[in-house]
Amino acid sequence: VGASYSSSGTSNYLKGSVANVRIYKKTLNGTEINADMNENDYSALPTELKEAAVGIYDFAPSNIVGTSVIDQSGKNHNGTLNN
């Protein structure tokens, strides 16, 4: 996230942390983007966003098992964490 590559190497890495990532199988409209941005709790998202979710990853320690992050969408697309 946030890195660039040139002949002199890779730079501009993200200076910060990522709390969660949500992947949808469709392009979100403005209303859906606002709903997604303003709701931290996946279970409280509107039904249309829950149905369109491919993977919902919340990086809270309770959702990480070893090097895996559990998919909160219920679709079992768990992720592998690499550093």
Side-chain angles (χ1 to χ4, degrees):
V1 174
S4 61
Y5 179 78
S6 69
S7 60
S8 61
T10 306
S11 61
N12 299 322
Y13 290 100
L14 174 70
K15 294 177 180 146
S17 60
V18 177
N20 61 60
V21 173
R22 296 175 181 169
I23 301 170
Y24 295 99
K25 63 183 174 183
K26 68 175 206 148
T27 303
L28 303 184
N29 64 38
T31 301
E32 292 168 329
I33 291 170
N34 283 330
D36 180 79
M37 287 175 31
N38 293 319
E39 187 53 68
N40 289 325
D41 181 8
Y42 169 72
S43 64
L45 286 173
T47 301
E48 63 271 11
L49 286 181
K50 289 184 200 174
E51 291 173 355
V54 173
I56 303 293
Y57 307 100
D58 179 346
F59 297 108
S62 60
N63 297 321
I64 297 173
V65 178
T67 59
S68 295
V69 60
I70 306 304
D71 177 8
Q72 301 299 301
S73 75
K75 297 183 176 116
N76 297 316
H77 296 136
N78 298 334
T80 301
L81 301 171
N82 292 301
N83 188 2

